[in-house]
Amino acid sequence: MLPRIIELIALVMQTLLSSEGIALLAILCGLVILAKLVATSFLHLGTIPGPRWAAFGRIWLARAVASGESADIYVEVNKKYGPLARIGPNHLLTDDPETTQRILAARSPYVRGRWYDSLRLDPHLPNLVAETHPSKHDALRHQMAAGYGGKDVEGMEAIIDERFSEWISYIDQHWTSLPGETKNYDIARSVQYLTTDIISHLCFGQPIGFVEEHKDIHDFRKTLESRLPIAEQFSVIVEYFSLLSTLSRIPWIKRNLVPQNTDTTGVGKILGISRKAIDERLEQGIPTYKSDILTSFLRHGMDRAQAESEITVSLFAGTDTTATAMRATLLHILTNPTVYLNLRHEISVAAASSRLSHPIQNFEALHLLYLQACIKEGLRIFPPVTALRERLVPPEGDIICGFHVPGGVNIGLNTKGLLRNQGVFGADADVFRPERWYEPDRERLALMERVHELVFGGGIFRRGEYAPAAVASEREWELDEG
């Protein structure tokens, strides 16, 4: 019996290795691939509408991300195909407020997908932003809450005031136009320097010095702007990350592919600054009193490598989103004369009646209702975070916008489309109009507030956290008045 089996196997192998056999094998492989493609494209998620070619592969999605206009593309997709659209073989997109709230809710069965792997500095060390395991993510949040919330940071508002004062002084000395001498001032880039110094001061207890030098120290901004498109592609073609994760286990490859704290520029340089600050605190003993965010992390039990990664991510992610929010809001205020005049009037009246300190305090800014409306509207019309932030549909599947969606499907959040939902914000949702936040209908206003909280996800962006942007608006008025 055994010899016959061996003879049969030999005959099969001989046939397969012949030219006819190789051709047959190629045809069979092609048919299998075609069958899988057809099944994926027309059977899996086949009832959900979307761009025609998106069903056949991730090229459509990769091109959208690479265009630099993905947020606008996503808005148009949901406008054309509805609140739930298919944008990949296993990828969906939603701008539905109820669905988004359900996905981002506390204890939601929707967990973070592989999209988040692209946000790791080290492929083998997840940070708070990139951690996908719910319990591990919660543990990191617990260690970091007191630092990020300001509870462990001494004089957070005073630090922000100090950095703004330095920024305004620099503008007065170097960029104020004089009679017969007009100076061109790039406020967009300057605001980035400001936010980097603010957040580095909060993290380390002192600023890195971007405002003082008024240049891109250590190629920090250059690295961020050059690496972001790469990270975005990693979020779509997740196999890139798997390859990087595997290759980076080889030491000499890791040294050349992954940022190191011995680098002299870019992400690695910031890791080095973080490492030095951590070493100083550990050598001197971690203070038990309020100081800065890094000390808070260490005091709550975070190890050296994790703290180094988290602080660096804070600088990269925090400075960029804060700068985007400030610049976009200022741009919309300054290019809308009626809004600009109304805001100046509110601030002038408050100042004349001695209701404002110098510099303005957060509790005072919160009573400037038109200023608060401008800040909310700025974040709504130009949200600083428009990436998909994909979650996985739970294993048992779900009914989303009337469609049955099987488990394991990636569902991306269309933040810009969500915040321009006409059913929530009115027929003029595409218009920058702060007055909409004076909505007399309490139920409608409450709905607007709930959806607006999703700017950064899950209601974490609370009213009191508008302070930096509020101070920015006040400083801009001071510059104009002075």
Side-chain angles (χ1 to χ4, degrees):
M1 185 67 180
L2 182 59
R4 290 183 180 180
I5 294 175
I6 294 174
E7 184 179 347
L8 180 61
I9 292 173
L11 180 61
V12 171
M13 291 298 296
Q14 184 178 359
T15 302
L16 290 176
L17 292 174
S18 67
S19 58
E20 294 84 358
I22 292 175
L24 178 61
L25 186 61
I27 292 172
L28 288 174
C29 288
L31 289 174
V32 170
I33 293 172
L34 180 61
K36 184 177 180 181
L37 181 63
V38 169
T40 300
S41 304
F42 297 104
L43 300 179
H44 179 67
L45 306 179
T47 60
I48 301 174
R52 179 181 302 174
W53 297 109
F56 295 94
R58 285 170 284 174
I59 295 177
W60 183 92
L61 185 54
R63 289 185 63 185
V65 168
S67 71
E69 299 177 353
S70 57
D72 293 325
I73 292 173
Y74 300 152
V75 170
E76 292 305 313
V77 165
N78 280 132
K79 279 185 178 180
K80 182 175 182 179
Y81 297 103
L84 185 70
R86 187 182 188 182
I87 57 173
N90 198 44
H91 300 262
L92 300 177
L93 177 72
T94 185
D95 67 351
D96 180 62
E98 183 180 346
T99 300
T100 305
Q101 287 175 319
R102 188 153 53 90
I103 289 173
L104 295 177
R107 294 178 293 280
S108 168
Y110 286 78
V111 297
R112 297 179 172 201
R114 291 194 64 189
W115 183 93
Y116 285 87
D117 287 341
S118 65
L119 303 178
R120 298 189 187 198
L121 295 181
D122 184 328
H124 309 292
L125 181 65
N127 51 65
L128 179 68
V129 180
E131 179 59 74
T132 58
H133 193 284
S135 62
K136 292 180 180 179
H137 183 262
D138 288 344
L140 282 175
R141 286 184 62 185
H142 177 73
Q143 287 180 315
M144 301 165 73
Y148 276 156
K151 182 179 178 181
D152 278 0
V153 179
E154 182 66 32
M156 177 178 282
E157 189 169 355
I159 289 172
I160 296 173
D161 289 342
E162 182 181 345
R163 300 277 62 83
F164 266 105
S165 295
E166 181 189 29
W167 183 59
I168 292 170
S169 295
Y170 189 95
I171 294 172
D172 285 339
Q173 294 173 21
H174 299 277
W175 297 106
T176 303
S177 296
L178 301 172
E181 181 186 9
T182 300
K183 295 183 179 180
N184 295 321
Y185 172 53
D186 185 356
I187 191 172
R189 181 64 69 182
S190 186
V191 166
Q192 285 186 314
Y193 297 154
L194 169 64
T195 58
T196 306
D197 269 1
I198 288 175
I199 293 181
S200 62
H201 194 159
L202 293 172
C203 287
F204 297 124
Q206 60 184 12
I208 292 177
F210 278 76
V211 170
E212 182 181 3
E213 297 290 333
H214 237 74
K215 65 180 183 181
D216 188 10
I217 300 174
H218 311 311
D219 287 336
F220 180 87
R221 308 306 317 178
K222 178 183 176 181
T223 302
L224 177 61
E225 291 163 7
S226 63
R227 292 285 183 101
L228 186 58
I230 299 173
E232 288 176 333
Q233 288 302 318
F234 271 48
S235 72
V236 177
I237 313 298
V238 293
E239 291 80 6
Y240 288 160
F241 176 82
S242 299
L243 178 62
L244 174 63
S245 181
T246 300
L247 291 176
S248 63
R249 294 185 184 278
I250 303 172
W252 70 268
I253 292 181
K254 182 175 182 178
R255 286 194 297 270
N256 289 280
L257 289 181
V258 179
Q260 305 294 309
N261 54 34
T262 53
D263 295 344
T264 57
T265 60
V267 179
K269 180 62 178 180
I270 303 302
L271 283 169
I273 293 173
S274 301
R275 170 57 65 92
K276 181 180 178 182
I278 292 168
D279 289 344
E280 290 174 352
R281 284 158 177 76
L282 293 177
E283 288 172 5
Q284 298 170 6
I286 301 172
T288 56
Y289 52 83
K290 292 182 179 181
S291 52
D292 51 49
I293 293 174
L294 175 57
T295 300
S296 175
F297 289 174
L298 296 172
R299 188 186 304 133
H300 286 85
M302 186 174 290
D303 63 50
R304 184 195 302 265
Q306 192 72 51
E308 183 180 308
S309 176
E310 296 295 353
I311 284 294
T312 304
V313 169
S314 299
L315 286 170
F316 274 88
T319 60
D320 190 61
T321 53
T322 306
T324 298
M326 289 170 58
R327 290 182 299 185
T329 303
L330 288 172
L331 176 65
H332 281 86
I333 291 171
L334 296 173
T335 54
N336 284 270
T338 301
V339 172
Y340 176 66
L341 291 174
N342 287 342
L343 180 58
R344 281 190 58 178
H345 176 72
E346 178 183 62
I347 296 173
S348 297
V349 169
S353 58
S354 301
R355 289 189 283 118
L356 300 182
S357 306
H358 185 79
I360 188 174
Q361 299 300 295
N362 183 43
F363 76 90
E364 297 168 338
L366 291 175
H367 287 90
L368 297 177
L369 300 184
Y370 196 73
L371 171 62
Q372 293 301 311
C374 287
I375 295 169
K376 286 183 182 179
E377 188 71 349
L379 289 168
R380 185 193 71 82
I381 204 72
F382 202 101
V385 180
T386 57
L388 288 176
R389 297 179 292 157
E390 287 180 335
R391 262 63 171 183
L392 291 176
V393 176
E396 66 273 16
D398 200 357
I399 302 297
I400 304 176
C401 299
F403 294 96
H404 176 265
V405 180
V409 171
N410 296 284
I411 181 163
L413 309 178
N414 181 358
T415 306
K416 188 170 184 177
L418 171 77
L419 294 169
R420 297 194 180 202
N421 186 297
Q422 294 187 3
V424 176
F425 296 102
D428 64 345
D430 289 333
V431 177
F432 179 80
R433 186 174 66 84
E435 288 77 11
R436 78 177 71 252
W437 295 99
Y438 287 91
E439 171 63 52
D441 184 334
R442 289 184 176 273
E443 289 187 7
R444 184 178 183 84
L445 181 60
L447 174 62
M448 289 167 56
E449 295 277 8
R450 286 197 301 273
V451 174
H452 189 272
E453 285 179 346
L454 300 173
V455 168
F456 287 113
I460 62 170
F461 197 67
R462 296 175 295 274
R463 182 177 178 86
E465 293 171 340
Y466 294 149
V471 178
S473 298
E474 164 65 9
R475 295 301 185 272
E476 191 66 27
W477 170 76
E478 284 188 25
L479 290 173
D480 182 78
E481 290 291 296

